[in-house]
Amino acid sequence: MENKWTCRRCGVPLEKKKVVFEYLNNSMSHELLRCPRCGAVLIPAELAEGKMADAETLLEDK
Ligand SMILES: [Zn+2]
């Protein structure tokens, strides 16, 4: 199964980037796919439906 993603806006391949979120006293990290040009981050559906939901909420609160 090929795992190549490209940015819809730029058409450039996304690169894996380890992103660390701080949540309360815990820090959790995920490897996300990020566009090197515009910085858009692709969040896999499984993360968006699970742990990432908490992180997204935290980011929105800031
Ligand atoms: Zn882009």
Side-chain angles (χ1 to χ4, degrees):
M1 187 175 183
E2 194 173 350
N3 194 22
K4 274 273 184 180
W5 295 84
T6 56
C7 178
R8 282 187 189 175
R9 217 179 298 169
C10 312
V12 299
L14 302 181
E15 60 184 15
K16 271 192 177 179
K17 172 102 177 178
K18 197 171 191 180
V19 181
V20 179
F21 298 93
E22 287 189 13
Y23 183 71
L24 298 181
N25 289 327
N26 299 318
S27 64
M28 51 186 195
S29 61
H30 290 289
E31 273 201 345
L32 300 180
L33 290 170
R34 184 174 180 275
C35 174
R37 186 174 295 180
C38 72
V41 176
L42 177 76
I43 300 178
E46 58 184 35
L47 289 182
E49 296 170 357
K51 297 176 183 176
M52 282 300 294
D54 290 336
E56 281 185 339
T57 301
L58 180 67
L59 291 176
E60 285 174 1
D61 287 341
K62 274 188 177 177

